[in-house]
Amino acid sequence: MTIEERDRRGLALAIEQARIGAKEGGVPIGAALVADDGTMLGAGHNRRVQWNSAIRHGETDALEEAGALPGQRAAQIVTTLRSVMAAA
């Protein structure tokens, strides 16, 4: 799998997660954690509104899901919204 294919797959999953968040009445931001080999390790969406949580962003939701997996792997996080720091 090429890097571009991995990133496209991750973005498609992140967009799907953002749609789920919107349907739940939350902020439509999604994220996916994708291993360098293309394996999906975790996905999530912003749940700050739904759970009244200051920390449950899409990225932390995806990391929480991936954290249940054994071992560590090189991976990229793909989100539907880029933070100000990442954009600079």
Side-chain angles (χ1 to χ4, degrees), residues 2-71:
T2 68
I3 292 172
E4 184 176 313
E5 290 170 332
R6 179 202 64 201
D7 291 348
R8 285 181 188 271
R9 188 170 177 210
L11 184 55
L13 184 55
I15 290 170
E16 178 183 315
Q17 287 293 312
R19 288 181 176 139
I20 292 169
K23 286 180 184 175
E24 292 176 355
V27 181
I29 300 171
L33 188 66
V34 187
D36 286 348
D37 67 4
T39 304
M40 293 297 159
L41 302 176
H45 54 277
N46 189 304
R47 297 176 194 254
R48 293 186 65 223
V49 173
Q50 300 93 310
W51 293 5
N52 194 28
S53 169
I55 63 169
R56 205 52 178 227
H57 294 270
E59 300 86 348
T60 57
D61 201 37
L63 290 169
E64 177 71 23
E65 183 176 312
L69 298 174

